[in-house]
Amino acid sequence: MQKPRFRGFFVPRLMIAPGSNVARHLRQAALDEPDALATLTPLSIGPDGKVVHARCTFRQLDQESDAAARIFHAEGIATGTRTLLAVRPGHDLIVAMFGLLKLGAIPVAIDPGMGWPAFLRCVRHTEPTALVGVRSAVWLSRAPLPAFRSIRHRVQVGTTRWRRLREQCAAAEPRPLAELGADSPAAILFTSGSTGAPKGVDYTHGMFEAQIELVRKTYAIEPGEIDMPMLPLFALFNPALRVTTVTPLLDPSRPAEADPGPIVAALRGEKVTTSFGSPAVWGRLADHCERRGLALPSLRRVLIAGAPVPDSLLEQLRRVAPQAQVHTPYGATECLPVSTIAAAELLATQGAVARAGLGTCLGRPVAGVEIRVIREVEGPLRTLADTTPCAPGEIGEIIATGPSVTRSYHRLPAATAAAKIADGDRVWHRMGDLGTLGADGRLRFLGRRAEKVRTAQGDLPTEAVEPAFRTHPDVARCALIGLGRQPPFRPALVVEPRAGRFPANAGERERFIAGLRACAQENPQATQVDSPMPLSKSNTTFDACPR
């Protein structure tokens, strides 16, 4: 009898473990498409510049993560065990993550890019009792540091012994999955800390399930596609989406330093169809392609988020990936995705609006997510009845609710109270951002609440000003800041010129600033930025004023 094939919906060949354990999606993929490729892991770069990959099927990935679960269980990790996950992005991370999910253990994922002191504070706050990590992480966990006192069980991955044990266990029968409900804890994922102290976000299996479905439906991702996720978290969705994961050769804690050559070679060589990355990474890749006359013809979609995306980069990506739909999704660790917009719409109808100071368009809510903009309030909002909706076009605080919205921060009741709003069975998340919601349903972003500059003329949101200056061809990045010790502040602009464009003398500096002044002419709020600041070269950054 011919085996049923997967064609965009689940074919229930047989019943797998009941419940809501999100790891069941990998088990089902292994049953339905056992020989389809699950992961491609870089091994080396050949003399022709092509990346050589190790290949793993869904059946092998299911077997290896079963084996990992057996190893973890033998070492004392069980359902509910908080487990610090310190594994490099790639195949071993996916194996370890799914091994823990199959057990019902709770992986704790902390971005090492936040810096060592912040990382240690996050570990100490979470108090994991187990560690699954590379050798350096295991050794470090034995150091006499308060952050590691809670750890009782350690499993080192990536060693010859680890691989041999996995091979021995792989021949065994499929390991039963822990039977869990939708509200069962699944993971603790830490925010990056880029806009405040990093916080652990409590995820349940049901929330992961909702995220998977939202991503699948929003971007029409189909089984059999090939993804290169340049943010490690997104690799963990792929087994549930039946998508092949290609691990890029980059350090996710320093994406702006990535060598674009091997990444572009892998995108082209493996015919990658979708990829998610930050503007810093995509800027390097797009520049590399244009300098060498290369295209990325296999890409069907490019997702770019994590920082403001200049129009010039979107236009570049449309040139180097002519078959791709380029999207800029909006969301946060606490709720993802919230809204999305395609670059074609953004460039055709919304660029001038952003440059004029009316906000960067974030598109419309994804299916199942509701967005509101409310009057700003300092301190907690206990229920939705305590909020005041803004009129269409009025600047306020963005809040969102939906099936993927998380309900709490880990062991931080005050932070949870400050960020969550109760609404019957639903919870709204306060995004920490300013924006407007138009009568057309489009959400526009005006910047982080904490970063607005209080001036003598009133509050100046960052995204009411910065887009005008990002249109300057020599500006790589810029930031609105306030000068002074207390309000009212004097608004000023910090500019990072593109590589090789730093003003070499006073004359070039004046011409650069004159160009910035010209960019501000169509934006009344940008013309408020008039505080003189001295040139202070540090790496590639200098301070400037448009007037």
Side-chain angles (χ1 to χ4, degrees), residues 121-139:
R121 284 194 295 272
C122 293
V123 175
R124 187 173 185 180
H125 175 79
T126 312
E127 293 187 311
T129 56
L131 167 70
V132 172
V134 296
R135 181 174 63 175
S136 58
V138 171
W139 283 9

Side-chain angles (χ1 to χ4, degrees), residues 154-166:
R154 295 171 174 84
V155 178
Q156 183 175 326
V157 307
T159 64
T160 301
R161 178 175 176 271
W162 160 260
R163 294 190 177 92
R164 188 180 301 117
L165 286 171
R166 283 205 336 238

Side-chain angles (χ1 to χ4, degrees), residues 531-543:
S531 303
M533 297 183 67
L535 178 69
S536 57
K537 186 169 182 178
S538 174
N539 295 325
T540 59
T541 303
F542 79 101
D543 303 328

Side-chain angles (χ1 to χ4, degrees), residues 36-214:
L37 280 176
T39 66
L40 294 173
T41 306
L43 295 175
S44 62
I45 301 175
D48 55 358
K50 293 183 178 179
V51 181
V52 179
H53 291 98
R55 297 170 180 260
C56 174
T57 66
F58 281 110
R59 174 169 49 199
Q60 292 168 327
L61 183 61
D62 187 50
Q63 290 173 337
E64 289 189 25
S65 56
D66 267 2
R70 289 187 171 92
I71 294 169
F72 299 156
H73 187 261
E75 293 294 331
I77 300 174
T79 299
T81 301
R82 289 191 303 278
T83 306
L84 180 61
L85 196 54
V87 182
R88 295 184 183 90
H91 179 76
D92 277 344
L93 175 61
I94 297 173
V95 169
M97 183 72 170
F98 275 87
L100 292 171
L101 291 173
K102 286 179 173 183
L103 278 176
I106 305 171
V108 179
I110 307 173
D111 179 5
M114 68 176 59
W116 182 239
F119 180 88
L120 288 178
R121 284 194 295 272
C122 293
V123 175
R124 187 173 185 180
H125 175 79
T126 312
E127 293 187 311
T129 56
L131 167 70
V132 172
V134 296
R135 181 174 63 175
S136 58
V138 171
W139 283 9
L140 188 62
S141 74
R142 298 185 187 280
L145 294 171
F148 300 123
R149 286 176 183 167
S150 59
I151 294 177
R152 300 289 180 267
H153 316 285
R154 295 171 174 84
V155 178
Q156 183 175 326
V157 307
T159 64
T160 301
R161 178 175 176 271
W162 160 260
R163 294 190 177 92
R164 188 180 301 117
L165 286 171
R166 283 205 336 238
E167 290 169 1
Q168 292 171 357
C169 294
E173 289 295 312
R175 189 182 192 282
L177 308 182
E179 295 189 19
L180 305 168
D183 293 332
S184 298
I188 302 169
L189 308 181
F190 271 80
T191 61
S192 66
S194 59
T195 56
K199 298 181 287 292
V201 180
D202 289 323
Y203 264 78
T204 67
H205 283 262
M207 290 168 187
F208 272 137
E209 186 87 25
Q211 277 191 335
I212 291 164
E213 288 307 306
L214 284 175

Side-chain angles (χ1 to χ4, degrees), residues 330 339 357-363 371-376 388-399 430-438 442-450 452 461-464:
Y330 171 64
S339 67
L358 300 178
T360 298
C361 189
L362 301 176
I371 297 173
R372 294 188 186 182
V373 174
I374 61 173
R375 299 274 176 85
E376 286 189 78
T388 303
C390 287
E394 180 185 358
I395 297 176
E397 179 183 352
I398 302 171
I399 63 173
R430 303 173 73 176
M431 300 295 294
D433 295 330
L434 297 173
T436 65
L437 194 59
R442 288 189 177 97
L443 179 67
R444 291 179 173 83
F445 174 68
L446 272 300
R448 297 289 294 173
R449 286 185 67 200
K452 66 184 178 183
T462 57
E463 280 296 296

Side-chain angles (χ1 to χ4, degrees), residues 340-424:
T340 191
I341 187 170
E345 179 185 356
L346 194 59
L347 293 171
T349 65
Q350 301 300 319
V353 175
R355 292 190 294 273
L358 300 178
T360 298
C361 189
L362 301 176
R364 295 180 173 86
V366 301
V369 171
E370 185 179 347
I371 297 173
R372 294 188 186 182
V373 174
I374 61 173
R375 299 274 176 85
E376 286 189 78
V377 173
E378 296 300 328
L381 289 164
R382 193 172 60 85
T383 70
L384 194 63
D386 298 327
T387 67
T388 303
C390 287
E394 180 185 358
I395 297 176
E397 179 183 352
I398 302 171
I399 63 173
T401 190
S404 65
V405 172
T406 57
R407 292 176 172 265
S408 63
Y409 293 110
H410 187 68
R411 303 166 82 178
L412 291 171
T416 298
K420 306 297 179 180
I421 305 172
D423 180 22

